Amino acid sequence: MGKGIRGNWDSQKEWIISRSYTEEEKKEAVDFYLHYVLDLWFEKAVKPKLREYSCYVRYVDDFLILFENRDEAERVLVAIRARMEKFSLELADEKTKIISFGRFKGTKESFDFLGFTFSNGKTRKGYYSVQVSTSKKKLKVKRQAVKEWLRERMHEPIDETMKLLNLKPQDHCNYYAVNGNLKAIRSFYEYVKNRFIRTMRRVRRIDSHGRN
């Protein structure tokens, strides 16, 4: 439940976020602020009042909360919206929802979080498992980035391009290499390889026409 936060920051907070910081520093600033707005508030003010188990996870402005009771999930969502409003923040409605998910829910519903898609599934022996794979939306973005990067380097030395290109599947694998996600990782690797071949063929055609 809950993913993505928009902010109408007041003048002081706007100043903190909008100065000439790097993207990493901006993430750290947001992370520090939401640690107070959400993390501590949930652990100290919300969780002790819940009757059943809950688990809260946040990375920068994306967060996920697991509940055993749907009524409690709905009440907490209302409380979160009120908490956000108090600090001139709001949840991104298109990314915020409550879903039934888990071993005994019997649903086919899935959700995306931090570039992964989580869905109910089974092992080869028929036991329940949470299946984790690269989000199709994120994979599409990654592929497009590789395509544009190769287009920009069409006239650069091939050896140098190949060395740099080899880092992209490696970086991708470092993040997405989780149990059960091998198929998606191979798919990205094959895309990078085939896109490189197609780009090099195009370069040769252009060079050939130029010589003629």
Side-chain angles (χ1 to χ4, degrees):
M1 178 192 77
K3 185 181 178 186
I5 298 172
R6 299 192 182 107
N8 297 317
W9 310 87
D10 63 31
S11 58
Q12 287 185 331
K13 301 181 189 71
E14 182 71 32
W15 180 81
I16 292 174
I17 298 299
S18 64
R19 289 187 64 193
S20 298
Y21 292 143
T22 64
E23 286 301 316
E24 191 62 32
E25 288 172 330
K26 290 179 181 178
K27 286 183 178 180
E28 290 177 0
V30 171
D31 187 60
F32 178 81
Y33 187 60
L34 291 181
H35 177 66
Y36 169 74
V37 175
L38 281 178
D39 303 356
L40 296 178
W41 171 76
F42 183 83
E43 288 297 324
K44 295 185 177 182
V46 177
K47 198 170 184 178
K49 297 179 181 179
L50 299 178
R51 294 182 178 180
E52 299 187 45
Y53 172 81
S54 67
C55 179
Y56 168 88
V57 180
R58 180 182 64 81
Y59 178 74
V60 190
D61 62 346
D62 285 351
F63 68 92
L64 174 72
I65 310 177
L66 285 68
F67 296 89
E68 290 187 348
N69 186 296
R70 188 177 184 88
D71 289 339
E72 288 190 333
E74 292 174 349
R75 289 199 299 271
V76 170
L77 179 56
V78 172
I80 289 175
R81 292 189 187 280
R83 178 73 172 176
M84 294 290 100
E85 185 177 353
K86 181 179 179 180
F87 292 90
S88 300
L89 301 171
E90 61 180 2
L91 296 178
D93 289 336
E94 70 277 9
K95 296 182 179 180
T96 304
K97 61 181 178 179
I98 298 176
I99 66 170
S100 296
F101 187 89
R103 182 192 304 270
F104 303 110
K105 298 302 180 181
T107 67
K108 295 183 179 180
E109 193 159 11
S110 62
F111 65 91
D112 288 357
F113 187 61
L114 302 182
F116 290 95
T117 295
F118 296 81
S119 57
N120 291 311
K122 293 183 178 181
T123 65
R124 293 180 179 178
K125 294 184 178 181
Y127 297 111
Y128 171 82
S129 70
V130 175
Q131 296 183 342
V132 184
S133 60
T134 308
S135 164
K136 291 182 179 179
K137 181 179 179 180
K138 184 62 67 173
L139 186 58
K140 183 178 180 180
V141 171
K142 292 278 188 177
R143 287 179 172 180
Q144 185 63 30
V146 169
K147 181 179 179 180
E148 293 176 358
W149 183 83
L150 284 171
R151 185 184 296 121
E152 292 172 356
R153 293 193 58 87
M154 283 181 62
H155 304 293
E156 300 294 333
I158 295 178
D159 290 346
E160 182 181 343
T161 297
M162 289 183 65
K163 289 180 181 179
L164 295 173
L165 186 64
N166 285 333
L167 297 176
K168 294 189 178 295
Q170 181 178 331
D171 291 342
H172 183 85
C173 184
N174 288 342
Y175 183 80
Y176 288 101
V178 297
N179 188 34
N181 198 32
L182 181 60
K183 183 178 179 180
I185 291 175
R186 283 179 174 172
S187 173
F188 181 73
Y189 173 79
E190 290 297 323
Y191 176 84
V192 172
K193 182 179 69 174
N194 293 333
R195 176 54 60 179
F196 174 73
I197 293 173
R198 291 177 62 180
T199 302
M200 291 303 100
R201 286 174 178 171
R202 184 180 177 188
V203 169
R204 288 171 184 166
R205 286 198 300 269
I206 293 174
D207 290 344
S208 177
H209 289 313
R211 286 193 295 269
N212 294 334

